[in-house]
């Protein structure tokens, strides 16, 4: 069999069905070359074009599917070698979606090739579960290593490599950027041997109730249940000394959740220490030096990222429901001391930009320096279940395509946002960028 098609669709087919099949790149517009290949290989060819293009070729050359040719999508069922995930699309459906999407529209993204997240249901996602519509698999079914090298993850990596980004949210993800040149790149697909960065997001328990995140304060378990402890141990075993960088917690408060506190301080059976780097994601309000000392017995290297979202008392207490600004500042003094002593490595202050706080961004840069943060990080507001569509439109400074609303463009031209100390969401970058008003 000979695979005949345009380069983007041949790329998809060869990537997923590489073997001994010969292939010939042919553009539909190059009629003479297409005529030659159709006549030469009729009855022994696989057409790798879009569905519409195949129909036109079939009609023009009076070809009969199954006798004169096969379609690339006829082979998609071969990808269903692994049991389907409940409520999820089959691998064949994922391939068909990718294959029929416009290629090269988005710049290729490498984040899903080395980032992953485990959710409370045990699903393993590439990059971030809030940004991806499809998961890789479930770590309760197979090992993390097995899922990472599964056919399903190869499909997900194909989508980010060929510029379709079929499973990423353009509104939510600032890495999903439309390519200006629309030039498809035919690079071999690269996948790391395993996740380099793994975010553990298995407990939503938090002492705050912020409207950008949840509608009520969550305490998943008042006491650590046996099944939760076993799940936590299972998750820990799945990454222990196999993943170099671990992040806890991606969905709750690390200093509040009993499950996370157990995971962070429970001794391994042989008192083994984690060989990589732990980053604790926290709101900082429950920081405790003695608890961090216990964590350091298991995780010798700790970084910390603190989500704050404000530089003043009034804004902080309005956005961080349940929070007290004076308490935060007191805790930040302790964290500053831990940073200065070397107990904590890299310290990052985070700020989710929204209508109620964006005018404090420049003050937040100074706020970060006051408390010895190594960097301040400004990110976009992401639509969540706690925010209705109408409310989100009012809160966000970006439109439905993830582009900055014209009336805010001038604000983001402030030079303070463009230096090595500040990391700002690409959607807000004005200096050196082109934005259409």
């Amino acid at each position: 069999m000979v695979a005949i098609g345009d380069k983007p669709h041949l790329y998809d087919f060869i990537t997923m069905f590489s073997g001994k099949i010969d292939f010939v790149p042919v553009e539909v517009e190059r009629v003479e070359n297409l005529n030659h290949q159709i006549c030469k290989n009729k009855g022994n060819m696989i057409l790798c074009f879009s569905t519409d293009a195949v129909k036109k070729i079939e009609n023009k050359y009076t070809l009969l599917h199954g006798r004169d040719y096969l379609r690339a999508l006829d082979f998609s069922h071969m990808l269903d070698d692994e049991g389907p995930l409940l409520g999820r699309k089959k691998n064949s459906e994922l391939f068909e979606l990718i294959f029929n999407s416009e290629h090269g529209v988005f710049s290729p993204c490498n984040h899903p090739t080395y980032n992953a997240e485990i959710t409370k249901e045990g699903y393993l996602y590439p990059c971030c579960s809030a940004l991806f519509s499809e998961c890789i698999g479930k770590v309760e079914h197979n090992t993390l290593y097995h899922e990472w090298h599964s056919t399903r993850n190869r499909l997900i990596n194909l989508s980010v490599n060929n510029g379709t980004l079929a499973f990423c949210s353009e509104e939510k993800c600032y890495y999903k950027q439309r390519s200006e040149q629309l030039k498809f790149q035919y690079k071999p697909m690269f996948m790391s041997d395993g996740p380099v960065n793994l975010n553990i997001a298995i407990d939503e328990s938090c002492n705050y109730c912020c409207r950008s995140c949840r509608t009520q304060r969550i305490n998943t378990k008042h006491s650590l249940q046996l099944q939760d402890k076993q799940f936590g141990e299972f998750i820990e075993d799945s990454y222990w000394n196999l993943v170099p960088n671990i992040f806890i917690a991606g969905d709750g408060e690390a200093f509040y959740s009993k499950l996370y506190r157990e995971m962070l301080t429970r001794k391994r059976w042989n008192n083994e220490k984690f060989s990589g780097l732990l980053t604790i994601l926290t709101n900082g309000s429950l920081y405790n030096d003695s608890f961090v000392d216990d964590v350091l017995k298991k995780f010798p290297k700790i970084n910390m990222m603190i989500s704050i979202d404000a530089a003043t008392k009034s804004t902080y207490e309005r956005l961080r429901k349940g929070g007290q600004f004076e308490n935060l500042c007191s805790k930040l003094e302790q964290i500053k001391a831990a940073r200065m002593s070397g107990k904590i490595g890299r310290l990052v202050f985070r700020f989710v930009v929204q209508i109620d706080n964006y005018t404090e961004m420049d003050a937040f840069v100074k706020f970060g320096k006051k408390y010895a943060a190594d960097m301040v990080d400004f990110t976009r507001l992401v639509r969540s279940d706690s925010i209705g569509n109408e409310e989100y439109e009012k809160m966000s400074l970006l439109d439905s395509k993830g582009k900055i609303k014209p009336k805010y463009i001038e604000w983001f031209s402030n030079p303070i946002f463009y230096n090595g100390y500040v990391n700002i969401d690409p959607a807000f970058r004005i200096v050196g960028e082109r934005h259409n008003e």
Side-chain angles (χ1 to χ4, degrees), residues 61-200:
Y61 295 96
T62 61
L63 301 176
L64 180 63
H65 175 236
R67 183 194 68 185
D68 299 325
Y69 77 97
L70 293 175
R71 303 186 186 100
L73 294 181
D74 292 337
F75 295 81
S76 60
H77 69 279
M78 296 172 61
L79 301 173
D80 294 328
D81 56 348
E82 295 148 5
L85 291 164
L86 185 63
R88 303 284 180 171
K89 289 184 175 67
K90 295 189 294 185
N91 291 347
S92 54
E93 294 175 296
L94 299 188
F95 180 70
E96 291 169 13
L97 179 60
I98 296 169
F99 193 83
N100 287 321
S101 297
E102 188 175 359
H103 290 58
V105 175
F106 300 98
S107 300
C109 175
N110 64 354
H111 285 265
T113 65
Y114 62 87
N115 292 320
E117 177 178 289
I118 297 178
T119 67
K120 60 183 179 181
E121 298 85 5
Y123 287 117
L124 180 68
Y125 278 85
C127 200
C128 173
S129 62
L131 311 180
F132 251 81
S133 62
E134 292 296 330
C135 67
I136 298 171
K138 206 165 187 179
V139 292
E140 291 175 292
H141 293 170
N142 293 295
T143 65
L144 186 148
Y145 182 86
H146 179 275
E147 295 292 1
W148 188 256
H149 290 273
S150 65
T151 300
R152 194 173 185 85
N153 199 27
R154 288 179 60 221
L155 283 164
I156 289 171
N157 276 271
L158 171 64
S159 75
V160 299
N161 208 54
N162 66 10
T164 60
L165 271 68
F167 314 114
C168 309
S169 169
E170 186 175 5
E171 174 192 354
K172 295 180 179 180
C173 182
Y174 54 73
Y175 294 113
K176 188 170 185 177
Q177 301 291 320
R178 289 186 175 270
S179 172
E180 294 182 3
Q181 296 155 346
L182 293 176
K183 290 183 178 179
F184 187 77
Q185 299 182 26
Y186 307 96
K187 295 181 178 180
M189 190 167 65
F190 167 80
M191 287 177 59
S192 59
D193 194 47
V196 176
N197 303 310
L198 181 62
N199 185 29
I200 310 298

Side-chain angles (χ1 to χ4, degrees), residues 18 26 30 33 80 100 116 151 180 196 238 266 274 297 314 321 331 343 375 379 391 423:
S18 59
V26 178
R30 299 186 63 180
N33 194 8
D80 294 328
N100 287 321
T151 300
E180 294 182 3
V196 176
S238 72
R266 181 186 60 244
F274 186 61
K297 295 174 183 177
S314 59
K321 294 182 180 179
K331 295 296 184 181
K343 180 186 294 187
M375 184 180 76
T379 63
E391 184 180 13
N423 181 56

Side-chain angles (χ1 to χ4, degrees), residues 28-54:
V28 176
E29 294 78 11
R30 299 186 63 180
V31 178
E32 184 177 343
N33 194 8
L34 181 61
N35 289 342
H36 173 71
Q37 294 300 331
I38 294 292
C39 294
K40 178 181 178 181
N41 297 292
K42 186 176 180 180
N44 190 44
M45 61 184 177
I46 304 167
L47 295 183
C48 297
F49 299 96
S50 68
T51 301
D52 289 342
V54 169

Side-chain angles (χ1 to χ4, degrees), residues 331-344:
K331 295 296 184 181
L332 292 181
E333 288 290 355
Q334 296 177 42
I335 293 170
K336 176 181 178 179
R339 174 67 187 95
M340 300 301 289
S341 69
K343 180 186 294 187
I344 295 174

